[in-house]
Amino acid sequence: MREEFTDIVGAALEHDPRLAVVLAEISADRFTEAAARHPDRVINVGIREQALVGVAGGLALTGLRPVVHSIAPFLIERPFEQIKLDLNHQRAGAVLVSTGASYDYPAAGRTHMAPGDVALLDTLPDWTVHVPGHPREFAELLRTALPGDDLVYLRMTERTNARSLPTGRGFRTVREGRAGVVLAVGPLLDPVLAATADLDVTVLYASTVRPFDAAALRAAALAATPDVVLVEPYLRDTSTAAANGALADLPHRVLGLGVRRDAELRAYGSADEHEAAHGLAPAELAESIRGFLAVGGR
């Protein structure tokens, strides 16, 4: 996804005079040539994440379209006040592109992990949030985001699905069943498909999670048992309130799976070990989904 990011944005700088890139050292080496050609529109603020977003807000207010990039905790958590004030409050649009996801860089420790990024942005209005599960999906979503003036967050990850699916704001039906609905977000589609291979459940896929596609979830729940499992690659229960809202007038149950809230992992290990510890590997997912839905095989 990072290769797609630098290739697409680098090319777009050549033909879109509105486009500007704002960096805080991360990936600056990937924009060396672009910065030499467009020094006024490729800006590296150094290790100053609050300035990163503040500068982007100022650029947007002049009519430019800033693309802002860093590792997820440095892009969303550290400068959150600037996101709130310099972007949202000023009605200034930007494209925020993170890398590292929840635990892609475990060797770097807790400072480089951001499982709460999507939940944090949920406290602010008007954000479109993309969580692609494949580089091709990321490329499509990025190209769609660049020409606009809205607020967009693209969450890059190194954990990807084997194949891409068509992108769009709606949830996509991957498999139909009768015993419940499992919504898989981004790179967790492949683990979910493996975990539910012998279960009679509907599997929905989301590469865009905000706006939340309440209509698609509701339609799937009405066509099956209205019990829903949300499998998200960030903080568990991030979308539980949205799912409950979509099904508010129906008797239903919702189980949120994702990065655990009840344990701070201090043995950093590998990304695979984090996935298993949070119950997001296929075997652990199968146990949770089967137990919650009380469902047998097909």
Side-chain angles (χ1 to χ4, degrees):
M1 291 188 189
R2 291 183 78 181
E3 294 296 331
E4 294 283 1
F5 169 60
T6 53
D7 288 350
I8 291 169
V9 175
L13 281 165
E14 301 302 319
H15 63 75
D16 185 352
R18 291 183 65 233
L19 200 66
V21 178
V22 192
L23 308 167
E25 294 297 343
I26 303 300
S27 298
D29 59 321
R30 295 169 177 255
F31 286 94
T32 302
E33 294 182 5
R37 291 193 299 272
H38 307 285
D40 56 334
R41 291 191 291 124
V42 179
I43 302 167
N44 181 6
V45 302
I47 307 174
R48 300 175 178 88
E49 286 79 11
Q50 287 86 353
L52 175 77
V53 176
V55 167
L59 292 171
L61 291 175
T62 71
L64 294 176
R65 179 61 161 167
V67 177
V68 193
H69 170 64
S70 188
I71 298 174
F74 307 153
L75 181 64
I76 302 299
E77 295 176 332
R78 189 170 296 173
F80 180 71
E81 184 176 15
Q82 283 67 42
I83 293 174
K84 179 178 72 175
L85 298 178
D86 298 347
L87 295 180
N88 270 92
H89 190 61
Q90 297 295 331
R91 296 177 178 172
V95 181
L96 273 55
V97 183
S98 72
T99 188
S102 294
Y103 43 76
D104 278 4
Y105 307 144
R110 186 64 174 90
T111 58
H112 286 58
M113 301 178 188
D117 56 346
V118 176
L120 193 55
L121 280 183
D122 257 355
T123 65
L124 300 174
D126 303 327
W127 281 91
T128 295
V129 178
H130 301 304
V131 187
H134 189 277
R136 189 174 297 120
E137 296 172 12
F138 171 81
E140 292 174 3
L141 293 166
L142 177 60
R143 288 192 178 98
T144 300
L146 291 181
D149 288 299
D150 53 343
L151 290 164
V152 180
Y153 178 44
L154 275 141
R155 192 180 203 257
M156 289 196 292
T157 179
E158 296 183 3
R159 305 182 70 75
T160 63
N161 300 315
R163 66 185 182 96
S164 66
L165 292 177
T167 59
R169 299 210 172 189
F171 300 161
R172 184 169 299 277
T173 301
V174 178
R175 180 188 295 155
E176 292 184 344
R178 298 168 296 176
V181 179
V182 182
L183 173 63
V185 174
L188 287 175
L189 176 60
D190 279 2
V192 165
L193 290 175
T196 60
D198 64 343
L199 302 182
D200 185 22
V201 298
T202 291
V203 176
L204 301 180
Y205 174 62
S207 58
T208 298
V209 294
R210 298 293 182 274
F212 187 86
D213 190 358
L217 181 65
R218 182 179 177 84
L222 286 170
T225 302
D227 291 335
V228 174
V229 181
L230 306 174
V231 187
E232 302 177 276
Y234 34 77
L235 205 62
R236 69 171 56 183
D237 290 318
T238 293
S239 297
T240 296
N244 280 323
L247 306 174
D249 62 330
L250 300 175
H252 71 279
R253 297 181 303 141
V254 175
L255 172 67
L257 300 177
V259 176
R260 294 169 54 189
R261 296 170 180 262
D262 60 348
E264 179 79 12
L265 301 180
R266 291 177 168 83
Y268 299 138
S270 68
D272 286 343
E273 288 171 325
H274 278 262
E275 189 170 83
H278 291 300
L280 297 175
E284 289 80 6
L285 285 173
E287 182 178 359
S288 297
I289 294 169
R290 190 184 296 272
F292 178 73
L293 296 178
V295 60
R298 289 176 178 270

